[in-house]
Amino acid sequence: STPDVFTMALSSSPQSVSFLAYDTAYEEICPDDATTSRSSDAKSGPITLAELVDALPPILHRQKEDGRKSLQERIRQDESRGTEDDPVNVLFSRLDLSLGEWKKYALFDSMKNYTRNLIATDNETFTLLLLCWNTGKESPIHDHPSDGCWLRVCEGEIRETRYEINGETDSLEVTSDEVFEDDAPAFIKDSMGYHKVGNPSKSTPAVTLHLYCPPFSKCKIWLDPSHASRPSKACMCNYSEYGVKHTCEMFAVNMI
């Protein structure tokens, strides 16, 4: 049943998640017709965290299968990510954050800029993380070696600064600088640039929900935006997994 799958995904080894049950959930949410499956969720109501976790893998598997059939479909998928035509974005936007299910994963550490708290993953198609930001703290500028990152604000406010590389000056130049206070989904992929995220408030912590598809364990970070050709390599490590804290350094940085 769906609750059992959700429990397995969030409290045991991610590799033990039953894909048969995921496939059953997929049949309920995404009909066989590919066009219908991309639009049928848009008019549906709010969903729980369990329903999101159940529905994501089959949707992503279907996208991968469809993308193998034609270059045109792969291009369409890439162009639609983060829009109302993106089934992942639509599903992610339906998650009802007001239920407060994310709160049990919101573990802070005053000694860190922010913490990465794993909520769920299947180690193949997605990783769902809750990031907890201390006041006035931010991430390094970084890339996303995946199809993209979907983000929602659960609590507080978040400032996102985006960059693109200027090849002539070998620098990262700011292309946008925005503060997000509501829970509407934001999206970024590498073709849109790189970014850093932080909590601009000096008094109120912030919490954000991040969806990465597919998962990745390493990324590039820029400690000095004036040297775009000299990124560092960051190895990701979670502060907690499935609501259980463990000790680990957030970034292991090596020059590449």
Side-chain angles (χ1 to χ4, degrees):
S1 66
T2 298
D4 291 337
V5 174
F6 180 65
T7 300
M8 293 171 69
L10 273 65
S11 63
S12 65
S13 170
Q15 296 177 344
S16 67
V17 173
S18 170
F19 280 91
L20 176 61
Y22 279 146
D23 290 341
T24 301
Y26 181 74
E27 290 172 1
E28 295 175 357
I29 294 179
C30 297
D32 290 335
D33 180 79
T35 301
T36 304
S37 69
R38 291 195 292 266
S39 61
S40 60
D41 291 342
K43 297 181 180 179
S44 301
I47 60 173
T48 65
L49 196 55
E51 291 170 322
L52 173 68
V53 169
D54 283 348
L56 275 169
I59 289 176
L60 293 164
H61 278 299
R62 173 65 69 86
Q63 285 188 327
K64 187 174 182 179
E65 292 171 4
D66 290 346
R68 287 172 176 168
K69 297 175 182 177
S70 73
L71 176 60
Q72 182 179 3
E73 174 60 18
R74 290 197 296 274
I75 293 173
R76 188 206 65 78
Q77 288 182 14
D78 185 64
E79 291 178 345
S80 70
R81 286 194 180 98
T83 72
E84 60 182 12
D85 294 321
D86 173 14
V88 174
N89 192 66
V90 171
L91 189 72
F92 192 50
S93 67
R94 289 173 53 202
L95 177 63
D96 188 353
L97 295 177
S98 68
L99 297 175
E101 297 170 296
W102 54 268
K103 292 183 178 180
K104 64 181 178 182
Y105 305 102
L107 303 183
F108 284 81
D109 186 330
S110 60
M111 301 302 293
K112 297 181 180 293
N113 286 0
Y114 64 99
T115 59
R116 293 165 46 91
N117 302 283
L118 179 66
I119 295 177
T121 186
D122 64 358
N123 284 330
E124 181 184 2
T125 64
F126 81 99
T127 292
L128 187 65
L129 291 169
L130 194 73
L131 272 59
C132 297
W133 304 87
N134 284 315
T135 56
K137 303 299 183 180
E138 63 183 17
S139 75
I141 303 168
H142 59 278
D143 71 351
H144 299 89
S146 63
D147 290 338
C149 168
W150 291 257
L151 178 154
R152 291 182 66 184
V153 178
C154 301
E155 188 172 85
E157 60 182 20
I158 284 294
R159 181 179 183 179
E160 182 202 38
T161 308
R162 296 194 178 190
Y163 300 81
E164 65 179 19
I165 293 178
N166 183 324
E168 294 183 359
T169 61
D170 188 33
S171 63
L172 288 165
E173 297 185 344
V174 174
T175 59
S176 68
D177 193 357
E178 297 184 66
V179 173
F180 299 93
E181 299 177 281
D182 58 33
D183 63 2
F187 175 79
I188 190 171
K189 56 185 177 181
D190 283 355
S191 63
M192 300 167 65
Y194 309 125
H195 75 174
K196 68 177 179 181
V197 178
N199 179 4
S201 174
K202 301 301 181 183
S203 59
T204 305
V207 180
T208 51
L209 186 66
H210 297 244
L211 174 64
Y212 303 100
C213 303
F216 58 90
S217 59
K218 298 178 181 180
C219 74
K220 293 178 182 179
I221 64 173
W222 284 265
L223 303 177
D224 183 354
S226 66
H227 295 289
S229 62
R230 297 179 59 190
S232 300
K233 180 173 64 177
C235 299
M236 304 306 181
C237 187
N238 299 322
Y239 182 73
S240 71
E241 296 187 352
Y242 314 112
V244 179
K245 174 187 171 183
H246 63 80
T247 302
C248 182
E249 291 298 323
M250 176 111 24
F251 287 113
V253 179
N254 297 293
M255 296 303 294
I256 59 174

